């Protein structure tokens, strides 16, 4: 075990090399596999170097790989994140609750025990007053019905008179027209 590399690491690397050889074929040239990989890497770098978006992606590749690492999720504490999101998401509700609490504090002085001392005595007085108000309301409805009936009869009388006046006007016009004719013929 040299430099902290275990036999399992070496076996894993050999397995990867075998997979690459199966995909890209055996190295039949006299060059070592490492040199072939270096050449391939430089060709890929030259090819990707032409595109600025790819360069920006390659610069952030290490950062992106940390996000996809399962260890990142283990280091990340989701409960704190959820708590922060809850607090941020509920600020509107908290602000509304604070405004409502201020209103309640202002209205607290309006409703104090001193203002409500005589409520039982006042309730006893309110019963008969309520009955009188209901009676007056019923009487008012009856008076409104009678007034509506009277107004209806008044409208009928006015309509009849209007029709009569129109009829008399027509008779008078006809009489004048006949009178003019007879005067003209004479």
């Amino acid at each position: 075990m040299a430099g902290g590399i275990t036999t399992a690491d070496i076996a894993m690397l050999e397995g990867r090399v075998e997979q690459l050889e199966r995909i890209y074929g055996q190295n039949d040239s006299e060059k070592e596999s490492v040199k072939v990989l270096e050449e391939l890497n430089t060709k890929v770098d030259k090819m990707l170097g032409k595109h600025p978006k790819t360069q920006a992606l390659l610069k952030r590749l290490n950062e992106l790989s940390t996000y996809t690492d399962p260890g990142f999720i283990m280091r990340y504490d989701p409960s704190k994140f959820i708590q922060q999101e809850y607090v941020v998401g509920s600020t509107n509700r908290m602000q509304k609750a604070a405004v409502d609490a201020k209103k309640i504090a202002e209205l607290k002085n309006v409703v104090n025990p001193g203002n409500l001392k005589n409520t039982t005595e006042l309730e006893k007085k309110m019963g008969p007053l309520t009955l009188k108000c209901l009676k007056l309301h019923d009487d008012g409805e009856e008076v409104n019905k009678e007034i509506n009936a009277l107004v209806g009869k008044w409208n009928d009388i006015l309509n009849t008179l209007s029709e009569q006046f129109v009829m008399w006007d027509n008779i008078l016009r006809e009489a004048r027209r006949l009178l003019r004719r007879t005067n003209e013929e004479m």
Side-chain angles (χ1 to χ4, degrees), residues 22 24 43 72 75 99-100 125 134 171 179 185:
R22 271 187 261 134
Y24 297 107
K43 288 179 184 177
F72 176 76
R75 290 186 304 269
V99 169
D100 292 342
K125 292 179 182 178
L134 289 174
I171 292 171
L179 185 63
E185 290 176 1

mmCIF file of all heavy atoms in Angstrom, residues 22 24 43 72 75 99-100 125 134 171 179 185:
data_model
loop_
_atom_site.group_PDB
_atom_site.id
_atom_site.type_symbol
_atom_site.label_atom_id
_atom_site.label_comp_id
_atom_site.label_asym_id
_atom_site.label_seq_id
_atom_site.Cartn_x
_atom_site.Cartn_y
_atom_site.Cartn_z
ATOM 1 N N ARG A 22 -12.048 -2.279 -23.768
ATOM 2 C CA ARG A 22 -13.148 -2.932 -24.479
ATOM 3 C C ARG A 22 -13.876 -1.941 -25.379
ATOM 4 O O ARG A 22 -14.286 -2.262 -26.485
ATOM 5 C CB ARG A 22 -14.132 -3.547 -23.483
ATOM 6 C CG ARG A 22 -13.757 -4.970 -23.128
ATOM 7 C CD ARG A 22 -14.826 -5.613 -22.283
ATOM 8 N NE ARG A 22 -14.350 -5.518 -20.897
ATOM 9 C CZ ARG A 22 -15.047 -5.127 -19.861
ATOM 10 N NH1 ARG A 22 -16.298 -4.814 -19.993
ATOM 11 N NH2 ARG A 22 -14.518 -5.058 -18.665
ATOM 12 N N TYR A 24 -12.649 1.182 -26.547
ATOM 13 C CA TYR A 24 -11.796 1.830 -27.549
ATOM 14 C C TYR A 24 -10.783 0.872 -28.182
ATOM 15 O O TYR A 24 -10.034 1.264 -29.058
ATOM 16 C CB TYR A 24 -11.054 3.018 -26.920
ATOM 17 C CG TYR A 24 -12.003 4.095 -26.437
ATOM 18 C CD1 TYR A 24 -12.244 4.284 -25.093
ATOM 19 C CD2 TYR A 24 -12.670 4.892 -27.352
ATOM 20 C CE1 TYR A 24 -13.124 5.257 -24.676
ATOM 21 C CE2 TYR A 24 -13.552 5.869 -26.928
ATOM 22 C CZ TYR A 24 -13.780 6.044 -25.591
ATOM 23 O OH TYR A 24 -14.645 7.003 -25.162
ATOM 24 N N LYS A 43 -6.091 16.387 -27.209
ATOM 25 C CA LYS A 43 -6.950 16.584 -28.381
ATOM 26 C C LYS A 43 -8.350 17.048 -27.953
ATOM 27 O O LYS A 43 -8.930 17.943 -28.560
ATOM 28 C CB LYS A 43 -7.046 15.292 -29.200
ATOM 29 C CG LYS A 43 -5.789 14.951 -29.941
ATOM 30 C CD LYS A 43 -5.949 13.642 -30.710
ATOM 31 C CE LYS A 43 -4.651 13.241 -31.386
ATOM 32 N NZ LYS A 43 -4.787 11.950 -32.075
ATOM 33 N N PHE A 72 -22.087 15.075 -0.362
ATOM 34 C CA PHE A 72 -22.609 16.438 -0.222
ATOM 35 C C PHE A 72 -23.957 16.427 0.475
ATOM 36 O O PHE A 72 -24.227 17.256 1.331
ATOM 37 C CB PHE A 72 -22.723 17.096 -1.605
ATOM 38 C CG PHE A 72 -23.348 18.458 -1.565
ATOM 39 C CD1 PHE A 72 -22.625 19.556 -1.127
ATOM 40 C CD2 PHE A 72 -24.667 18.653 -1.947
ATOM 41 C CE1 PHE A 72 -23.199 20.812 -1.094
ATOM 42 C CE2 PHE A 72 -25.245 19.902 -1.902
ATOM 43 C CZ PHE A 72 -24.508 20.979 -1.477
ATOM 44 N N ARG A 75 -23.469 15.926 4.121
ATOM 45 C CA ARG A 75 -22.986 17.117 4.827
ATOM 46 C C ARG A 75 -24.082 18.176 4.944
ATOM 47 O O ARG A 75 -24.070 19.007 5.823
ATOM 48 C CB ARG A 75 -21.778 17.710 4.093
ATOM 49 C CG ARG A 75 -20.536 16.877 4.175
ATOM 50 C CD ARG A 75 -19.353 17.606 3.559
ATOM 51 N NE ARG A 75 -19.552 18.017 2.194
ATOM 52 C CZ ARG A 75 -19.240 17.298 1.120
ATOM 53 N NH1 ARG A 75 -18.716 16.099 1.267
ATOM 54 N NH2 ARG A 75 -19.447 17.765 -0.090
ATOM 55 N N VAL A 99 -49.838 42.979 12.730
ATOM 56 C CA VAL A 99 -50.802 44.073 12.550
ATOM 57 C C VAL A 99 -52.075 43.781 13.329
ATOM 58 O O VAL A 99 -52.630 44.654 14.011
ATOM 59 C CB VAL A 99 -51.101 44.278 11.037
ATOM 60 C CG1 VAL A 99 -52.280 45.195 10.837
ATOM 61 C CG2 VAL A 99 -49.868 44.828 10.344
ATOM 62 N N ASP A 100 -52.541 42.531 13.248
ATOM 63 C CA ASP A 100 -53.745 42.145 13.993
ATOM 64 C C ASP A 100 -53.531 42.261 15.499
ATOM 65 O O ASP A 100 -54.441 42.660 16.234
ATOM 66 C CB ASP A 100 -54.165 40.719 13.616
ATOM 67 C CG ASP A 100 -54.664 40.619 12.187
ATOM 68 O OD1 ASP A 100 -55.004 41.670 11.595
ATOM 69 O OD2 ASP A 100 -54.717 39.493 11.655
ATOM 70 N N LYS A 125 -83.590 45.639 30.538
ATOM 71 C CA LYS A 125 -84.272 46.784 29.940
ATOM 72 C C LYS A 125 -84.395 46.638 28.421
ATOM 73 O O LYS A 125 -85.317 47.177 27.816
ATOM 74 C CB LYS A 125 -83.522 48.078 30.273
ATOM 75 C CG LYS A 125 -83.577 48.444 31.732
ATOM 76 C CD LYS A 125 -82.801 49.710 32.002
ATOM 77 C CE LYS A 125 -82.825 50.044 33.494
ATOM 78 N NZ LYS A 125 -82.043 51.255 33.780
ATOM 79 N N LEU A 134 -89.981 45.827 17.545
ATOM 80 C CA LEU A 134 -90.578 44.859 16.620
ATOM 81 C C LEU A 134 -92.019 45.242 16.297
ATOM 82 O O LEU A 134 -92.455 45.155 15.143
ATOM 83 C CB LEU A 134 -90.513 43.437 17.199
ATOM 84 C CG LEU A 134 -89.126 42.801 17.245
ATOM 85 C CD1 LEU A 134 -89.174 41.467 17.980
ATOM 86 C CD2 LEU A 134 -88.584 42.609 15.841
ATOM 87 N N ILE A 171 -112.803 65.578 -28.586
ATOM 88 C CA ILE A 171 -114.159 66.011 -28.937
ATOM 89 C C ILE A 171 -114.152 67.487 -29.282
ATOM 90 O O ILE A 171 -114.756 67.920 -30.275
ATOM 91 C CB ILE A 171 -115.150 65.695 -27.790
ATOM 92 C CG1 ILE A 171 -115.333 64.190 -27.655
ATOM 93 C CG2 ILE A 171 -116.481 66.388 -27.999
ATOM 94 C CD1 ILE A 171 -116.101 63.764 -26.425
ATOM 95 N N LEU A 179 -116.876 73.214 -36.995
ATOM 96 C CA LEU A 179 -117.309 74.610 -36.980
ATOM 97 C C LEU A 179 -116.594 75.410 -38.068
ATOM 98 O O LEU A 179 -117.207 76.208 -38.772
ATOM 99 C CB LEU A 179 -117.068 75.217 -35.609
ATOM 100 C CG LEU A 179 -117.569 76.633 -35.397
ATOM 101 C CD1 LEU A 179 -119.080 76.705 -35.534
ATOM 102 C CD2 LEU A 179 -117.150 77.139 -34.063
ATOM 103 N N GLU A 185 -117.928 76.976 -45.606
ATOM 104 C CA GLU A 185 -118.916 76.643 -46.626
ATOM 105 C C GLU A 185 -119.954 77.761 -46.726
ATOM 106 O O GLU A 185 -120.607 77.927 -47.740
ATOM 107 C CB GLU A 185 -119.617 75.324 -46.274
ATOM 108 C CG GLU A 185 -118.700 74.149 -46.425
ATOM 109 C CD GLU A 185 -119.354 72.854 -45.974
ATOM 110 O OE1 GLU A 185 -120.511 72.846 -45.561
ATOM 111 O OE2 GLU A 185 -118.656 71.847 -46.026
#
